[in-house]
Structures are given as C-alpha cells and as structure tokens.
Amino acid sequence: MYREPEVGELLIQALAAARETLYQRTHRTFVGAGCAPMPVEDIPTFERQQADALALLAETALHHGIDPGAPGERYQVVVHVDAPALADPDAPGQSALGSGEHVSAETSRRLACDASRVVMQHARGGRVVEVAAKSRTIPPALRRALHHRDRGCRFPGCGVRFGQGHHIRHWAQGGPTTLSNLAMLCRRHHRAVHEEGYQVARQADGQLQFRRPDGHLFPEVPPPIVISYDALRALRARNKTAGLVLHSHTLTPGWLGERLDVGYAIDVLHPRACGG
C-alpha cells in the first residue's frame, strides 16, 4: 500500500477544523437560547467529537460536490523544506511535515507545486533572520484560467474534474508560473509524475506529452464521450421497454474465482459453437 503521510496530516487538520466548527455551533445554540455554557459532564468525549467531525466532513463533501476548493488559513498541511533540496531532490537538506515526520524531497516538490509559500532565511545556527510575505505559487486568476483551459486532469485517460496545478518545470528550478508551464493533474497522477517516474512535457505545438517511467510514450487517448441527457433518457426508455434492469452491479461477475473454462466460454458465447 502506498503511504502518503501528508494525506494523514490533511485528515488530522480537517478533523480539527470540523471539531471547532461543531463546538462553535453548540456554543451559539446554548448562548442564543439564554443558557449557561454546557456543563463539563455533558461535553462529548474526544472519540465522540472525532466521530461527529468525520460525519460533518462527509456531509460537507457531499453537499459541495466533493470540491476541494481553496485551503483555509488556519488548517493547513505545513511542509518545511530547504531550498537546495526543493530545487534538486538529490541535494542535502531537510524535507519534513509540520508534525516532524520526514517526507521525500520529491513529495515536497509536489506539494509546493500548488500551495502557499513562505520563504525564511536562517543563520548558520538555525535562527530565523528573515521571513518573507506569504504568496501563492499559483495566483487565483491564473488558477481560474488553468481550470478553464484544462477542464480536469490531463493525464491520458483520466479526466478527473478536480485537480492540482503542476509546474511542468518546477518553479524551484526556475520554471515560470505561467499558463504555458502549468498543467492540471489529479492528486493520484500528480504524485505519479513527481514520485513514480512518470514524465510530462509541453511540445512546441502546445500539446502535452506523457512518458512512462521506462521512457516510452503514452499512446494517444481520445477524450471521454459526452452523452447528452436526452440520449441517456431515450436509452433508459428503450431498456425499460425491453425489460432490461441495469444497475451498478449489472456487470459484477458472479463467479467464485475459479479458473476460466475456455471451452465452456466459447460454447456459450459463439453463435456457431452449438449444433456443429
């Protein structure tokens, strides 16, 4: 199983934000009703608070269409990475989450592709001597243009609607934060490009070219077919007339994992297999 410590950190921060939201709601309810603060013995246990927070996250995600949106200011996954390690994964330097857990330099590069950035200068003894203002690596206006142009993950055959901005040439290596140097990738394929050896480059004609870890080009993948609602409704009507009941488990195989009997499969599927 692939381990992503930053995803665990993200969940911890999200649960903390949800717990505080629920606390504020409860506090406003008691105060608005003219009641005294909730007695200590009535405060839910931490486990109950965590469960309620997780339920709130699920409800919020479904209500907002699973749109990750922009991260809040207070609840963020923080990564500390030295500039040399960010520019070159083989260079020495720290690369760790705010919790202290170490991550690879390439993970830091991926997270820094599309995030807020604060540059700090340290003295030789480690003391912070200067902190620059926080800035986003991809400004909001450019992000909107990126979403409008790419319409989702550009990895061949993916097309997931929501994604992260990927610097084709990383800004830590001098790559500009411009539309031509950006591509939208979903979380899964953004990790694949940074940490699993996949490569992406923009050609002279503006098209993206993806390569496998072994250097072979990905074949051209046609965009998904867009089916109109009218066509879907007509298809459903024909299926209903024909007595076909199709649902999410229609294509789920009912076999128990035994080996395929090729002869039997041919007998069943081939129109001329029976009767000589």
Side-chain angles (χ1 to χ4, degrees), residues 51-73:
D52 291 342
L54 185 60
L56 177 61
L57 291 180
E59 292 172 359
T60 303
L62 293 175
H63 179 71
H64 292 284
I66 321 294
D67 182 0
E73 291 297 316

Side-chain angles (χ1 to χ4, degrees), residues 31-113:
V31 173
C35 301
M38 180 182 293
V40 175
E41 60 270 17
D42 292 338
I43 297 177
T45 64
F46 179 76
E47 291 76 12
R48 175 61 185 274
Q49 293 179 40
Q50 285 286 79
D52 291 342
L54 185 60
L56 177 61
L57 291 180
E59 292 172 359
T60 303
L62 293 175
H63 179 71
H64 292 284
I66 321 294
D67 182 0
E73 291 297 316
R74 294 186 59 193
Y75 301 98
Q76 294 181 339
V77 175
V78 178
V79 181
H80 300 278
V81 56
D82 291 339
L86 191 62
D88 181 2
D90 296 325
Q94 74 160 340
S95 177
L97 299 176
S99 62
E101 182 169 2
H102 291 277
V103 295
S104 69
E106 200 58 61
T107 296
S108 292
R109 286 162 59 85
R110 169 170 58 86
L111 296 174
C113 251

